[in-house]
């Protein structure tokens, strides 16, 4: 039989991170690879109560088809959460999605024409790269420093790319770097978006998990022209398995999102939505988030301390104030892909940095996750990783 696939399939390959996670599922491997929350923090008993309440009170209705927009009490609860951020949307501004990944995918379908320019941080979230790549855009990467995307570089790229459709940004504890966009740059990003008439897609899965530093308002807080499309999720603050995310945007955008979502899944899991809404009614999710922040701060502090102790001094790394990740920059001659193979032989894993660069061949970086492993495993794993790094750098020095 002849190949029946569309040309588009040539643009889609299996996620490198997902393939890595398959390898690291061996129980003996200490994995810093996936962006996984700590499973022991999932509110299992509370969810049992919420499930029983939903089935007792709503019965068959909770198992029936639902509206594409999402369950109204859950959308109302999200409006309340957004209000805590200084954003006060109406329910018509909220669309429930099957995780924030669906929100990213729908954004690509809705806005990107072939050849459109998408401006993003360098590096950026690899699953967003994969989703957007399907529509053949031109990716333009903007350099970052410890304070996030550099606005002078952003303006330069906006000047040079008149067909820019949107800026994709993860301003809080960015994936993969853990960096946070400082306040002045958030304001400047809005000014530039207004000036050059482009959209901003603000992806914020981690913002609630701040365990150090000063709280910052979202980029959307400064939005005066309804050009910021805000994406978020319950995956990092509640449970990822329920697959619940949301889009907060101008109603004219939401209407289009709804039409596109209807071609994909009609609606997000209605039972999961009702369970989550019931949990939010019965329990204080802020108390739960505070527990998460305490644990992640301890694990992040442990990993940073171990990196300082065990890694070669020539290696640079980020110091996040929240979120799930630390970004490591190796000497230029080190290929983190090759390093991954050698580390896996020593039963420790991470994500090589190359897939986070949509255009580049930057190979001397890697991402570490600290949220999923207990402190003793973090210490053991970083020590193992440090030993491999020392051997590899010493080998390179000998060759030179």
């Amino acid at each position: 039989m002849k190949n029946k696939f569309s040309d588009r399939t040539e643009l889609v390959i299996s996620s490198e991170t997902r393939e890595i996670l398959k390898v690291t599922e061996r129980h003996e491997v200490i994995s810093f690879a996936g962006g996984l929350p700590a499973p022991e923090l999932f509110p299992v008993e509370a969810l049992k109560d919420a499930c029983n309440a939903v089935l007792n009170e709503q019965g068959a209705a909770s198992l029936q088809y639902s509206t594409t927009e999402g369950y109204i009490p859950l959308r109302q609860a999200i409006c309340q959460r957004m209000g805590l951020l200084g954003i006060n949307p109406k329910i018509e501004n909220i669309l429930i999605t099957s995780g924030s990944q669906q929100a990213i995918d729908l954004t690509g379908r809705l806005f990107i024409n072939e050849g459109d320019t998408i401006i993003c941080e360098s590096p950026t979230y690899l699953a967003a790269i994969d989703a957007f790549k399907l529509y053949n855009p031109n990716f333009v990467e903007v350099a970052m420093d410890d304070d996030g995307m550099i606005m002078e570089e952003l303006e330069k790229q906006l000047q040079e790319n008149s067909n820019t459709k949107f800026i994709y940004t993860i301003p809080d504890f960015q994936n993969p770097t853990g960096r946070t966009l400082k306040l002045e740059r958030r304001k400047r990003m809005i000014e530039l978006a207004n000036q050059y008439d482009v959209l901003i897609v603000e992806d914020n899965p981690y913002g609630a998990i701040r365990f150090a530093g000063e709280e910052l308002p979202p980029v959307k807080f400064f939005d005066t022209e309804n050009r910021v499309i805000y994406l978020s999720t319950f995956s990092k603050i509640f449970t990822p398995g329920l697959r619940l995310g949301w889009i907060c945007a101008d109603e004219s955008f939401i209407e289009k999102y709804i039409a596109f979502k209807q071609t994909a899944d009609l609606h997000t899991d209605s039972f999961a939505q009702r369970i989550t809404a019931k949990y939010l009614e019965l329990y204080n999710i802020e108390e739960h988030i505070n527990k998460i922040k305490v644990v992640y701060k301890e694990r992040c502090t442990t990993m940073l301390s171990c990196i300082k102790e065990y890694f070669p001094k020539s290696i640079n790394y980020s110091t996040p104030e929240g979120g799930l990740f630390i970004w490591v920059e190796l000497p230029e001659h080190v290929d983190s892909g090759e390093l991954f193979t050698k580390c896996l032989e020593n039963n420790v894993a991470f994500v090589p940095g190359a897939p986070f660069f949509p255009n580049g061949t930057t190979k001397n970086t890697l991402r570490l996750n600290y949220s999923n492993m207990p402190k003793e495993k973090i210490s053991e794993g970083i020590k193992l990783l440090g030993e491999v790094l020392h051997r590899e750098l010493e080998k390179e020095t000998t060759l030179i």
Side-chain angles (χ1 to χ4, degrees):
M1 185 176 69
K2 292 182 179 180
N3 179 6
K4 302 297 183 181
F5 294 123
S6 71
D7 294 342
R8 195 176 300 111
T9 60
E10 299 296 322
L11 302 172
V12 180
I13 59 174
S14 180
S15 166
E16 293 186 47
T17 301
R18 290 291 167 184
E19 294 305 310
I20 286 171
L21 288 177
K22 291 179 185 178
V23 178
T24 61
E25 284 178 349
R26 302 199 315 255
H27 72 275
E28 70 271 19
V29 174
I30 299 174
S31 177
F32 304 128
L36 305 178
E40 67 272 21
L41 297 178
F42 295 155
V44 175
E45 295 304 316
L47 277 170
K48 289 180 183 178
D49 292 341
C51 285
N52 287 331
V54 168
L55 289 171
N56 289 333
E57 297 168 14
Q58 302 171 33
S62 68
L63 305 175
Q64 184 57 279
Y65 283 113
S66 184
T67 59
T68 306
E69 294 89 333
Y71 183 50
I72 288 176
L74 181 59
R75 292 161 70 203
Q76 290 171 332
I78 289 170
C79 287
Q80 293 172 2
R81 285 199 58 77
M82 298 290 291
L84 299 175
L85 303 174
I87 303 166
N88 296 293
K90 299 181 295 183
I91 193 171
E92 292 79 12
N93 300 122
I94 303 296
L95 170 65
I96 304 298
T97 58
S98 300
S100 62
Q101 187 61 34
Q102 186 184 49
I104 292 169
D105 177 66
L106 291 174
T107 298
R109 293 175 62 194
L110 187 55
F111 291 105
I112 302 175
N113 291 318
E114 184 171 355
D116 281 348
T117 290
I118 306 304
I119 295 179
C120 60
E121 293 138 350
S122 182
T124 192
Y125 178 43
L126 60 86
I129 296 172
D130 292 341
F132 297 153
K133 191 180 292 184
L134 188 62
Y135 307 102
N136 259 332
N138 168 42
F139 286 101
V140 170
E141 301 176 47
V142 175
M144 306 173 72
D145 59 20
D146 288 341
D147 293 322
M149 185 187 285
I150 299 170
M151 290 298 106
E152 292 78 12
E153 294 294 322
L154 174 59
E155 182 167 19
K156 177 183 177 183
Q157 296 301 337
L158 287 168
Q159 290 171 344
E160 295 178 358
N161 294 275
S162 59
N163 67 334
T164 297
K165 185 60 67 73
F166 60 76
I167 302 163
Y168 173 73
T169 182
I170 310 169
D172 294 296
F173 324 123
Q174 196 240 16
N175 184 356
T177 67
R179 294 167 179 152
T180 294
L181 188 68
K182 71 178 183 179
L183 182 63
E184 293 76 12
R185 294 188 185 184
R186 295 173 189 236
K187 296 176 182 178
R188 181 60 179 155
M189 182 180 284
I190 288 289
E191 292 173 356
L192 291 171
N194 291 343
Q195 180 180 345
Y196 291 92
D197 192 24
V198 300
L199 301 174
I200 296 173
V201 178
E202 180 179 12
D203 193 1
N204 189 10
Y206 316 105
I209 311 174
R210 173 178 284 280
F211 47 68
E214 181 183 358
E215 294 282 349
L216 296 174
V219 174
K220 189 166 181 60
F221 176 82
F222 303 103
D223 185 16
T224 57
E225 299 184 3
N226 292 324
R227 64 176 67 249
V228 177
I229 298 165
Y230 181 94
L231 317 179
S232 196
T233 179
F234 285 103
S235 292
K236 303 302 187 288
I237 61 171
F238 189 44
T239 67
L242 291 176
R243 306 307 304 133
L244 291 179
W246 71 89
I247 301 170
C248 177
D250 185 76
E251 192 173 346
S252 63
F253 291 156
I254 293 296
E255 289 174 358
K256 294 293 186 182
Y257 272 111
I258 290 169
F260 274 68
K261 181 174 168 60
Q262 286 170 346
T263 71
D265 64 1
L266 298 183
H267 66 83
T268 297
D269 187 320
S270 58
F271 189 50
Q273 290 186 66
R274 289 171 187 255
I275 291 170
T276 303
K278 180 58 68 173
Y279 173 89
L280 294 172
E281 176 189 330
L282 297 177
Y283 296 92
N284 184 347
I285 194 172
E286 293 304 322
E287 292 181 359
H288 176 66
I289 293 171
N290 286 336
K291 293 177 183 177
I292 293 173
K293 291 193 286 189
V294 168
V295 172
Y296 289 6
K297 180 178 181 178
E298 291 177 349
R299 294 181 179 183
C300 181
T301 300
T302 298
M303 182 172 281
L304 290 171
S305 177
C306 291
I307 288 173
K308 184 177 181 179
E309 180 177 358
Y310 297 122
F311 278 20
K313 302 307 177 188
S314 59
I315 289 175
N316 297 316
Y317 52 92
S318 62
T319 54
E321 296 179 333
L324 281 69
F325 305 111
I326 293 172
W327 184 244
V328 178
E329 296 176 351
L330 308 168
E332 289 187 6
H333 62 271
V334 179
D335 185 334
S336 64
E338 296 177 1
L339 183 69
F340 171 80
T341 301
K342 292 167 182 174
C343 284
L344 196 59
E345 293 171 356
N346 289 270
N347 292 325
V348 63
F350 56 82
V351 178
F356 296 97
F357 296 90
N359 298 316
T361 55
T362 305
K363 296 183 178 181
N364 64 317
T365 56
L366 60 92
R367 190 192 73 180
L368 298 172
N369 166 262
Y370 50 78
S371 61
N372 188 243
M373 284 285 154
K375 290 190 293 182
E376 59 273 15
K377 287 291 186 180
I378 291 173
S379 299
E380 181 183 351
I382 294 299
K383 184 178 181 181
L384 288 169
L385 179 52
E387 290 171 356
V388 177
L389 282 169
H390 276 289
R391 287 200 298 268
E392 292 305 305
L393 294 190
E394 287 169 6
K395 187 188 303 182
E396 293 291 339
T397 302
T398 303
L399 291 174
I400 292 172

